[in-house]
Amino acid sequence: MQHRTVLLEEAVDALALKPGGTYVDATFGRGGHSRLILRRLNEQGRLIALDRDPAAVAAGGEIADARLKVIHAAFGNLEEALQAEGVERVDGVLLDLGVSSPQLDEAARGFSFRLDAPLDMRMDTSRGQTAAEWLAQASQRQLAEVIKNYGEERFANAVAKAIVAARAGGAIATTRQLAEIVASAVRTREQGQHPATRSFQAIRIHVNQELEELSLALPQAVEALKPGGRLAVISFHSLEDRIVKRFLRDEARPPQLPARLPLRAADLPPPRLKLVGKPVTPSAAEIAANPRARSAVLRVAERM
């Protein structure tokens, strides 16, 4: 499937671009959002793009534009990446979370149960533990916790037990092996959904520490914003969106002080963010053209 950038116009519009501003696309992917941002910047504008996937960084190298700098880094290292570029404050940060179509569709990456391949699942193929390596050494309890918490899989205990039983007969090395093991343990599933969907999501999130990276990145993004700068975040599943929603909500409230402290509301320090508009979801036309967009939610906030 050709990669389609989800909520392309909506996300870039949400940044309220200043033509000469400095922006961060913290999840470059295949550069859909970055290309549109560059089209809207003038010669003084600047775009810093991050991605932990070496293939995405390589794709960024094909864009010949002096205003763009693509950095091999996870967005949890946003502050460090900006410091290395000598950038203190930016006018906007975009986060497009989750896994990209090229990652899903390239069999060798091991993200998809639809394509038989080595069980890798790392977004950054240059470092870290593969899914196969983790499955080989995780305890049954660890397996069950990850599959339940990150996959919201109600048969997590049965799946974990099946994985432990299967690996006793040899390594679980391919996506097809894992999908068949999970399918044998999941008794029912929503119509149209493969039995392994939730377990694959959970293992991928764990291997890449996706929720931990998000929790690290959000405060760094707010800290990097100039007053009036915008943060736009696209989430693709409820676990991500819950973290984003709570973080933005908390940052848009005045600090919570002890109830008996003799302070008026006017004396409290102002919140760091204000929420901008309501959550945005893809149109019916976008979902029809790109079914992977169906679960996307865009949330936007502005630095006070």
Side-chain angles (χ1 to χ4, degrees), residues 170-214:
I172 302 169
T174 71
T175 54
R176 182 168 294 160
Q177 278 179 282
L178 179 59
E180 289 173 354
I181 292 162
V182 174
S184 72
V186 173
R187 295 193 295 278
T188 62
R189 178 52 70 230
E190 296 88 339
Q191 188 174 5
Q193 188 179 79
H194 191 284
T197 300
R198 292 175 179 271
S199 295
F200 267 65
Q201 172 185 292
I203 294 165
R204 186 202 85 216
I205 288 171
H206 174 74
V207 164
N208 293 290
Q209 298 289 286
E210 291 175 37
L211 303 185
E212 291 84 352
E213 286 286 335
L214 177 58

Side-chain angles (χ1 to χ4, degrees), residues 25-47:
D25 180 354
T27 46
F28 180 79
R30 289 301 180 270
H33 290 118
S34 283
R35 285 182 172 87
L36 183 55
I37 291 169
L38 288 168
R39 285 205 295 273
R40 296 187 182 181
L41 293 178
N42 63 24
E43 291 180 6
Q44 284 71 48
R46 186 177 181 189
L47 178 61

Side-chain angles (χ1 to χ4, degrees), residues 249-272:
R249 179 195 66 197
D250 291 347
E251 289 287 338
R253 290 174 173 169
Q256 302 299 299
L257 299 176
R260 291 191 179 87
L261 216 59
L263 279 175
R264 298 173 302 169
D267 296 328
L268 292 172
R272 296 205 299 170

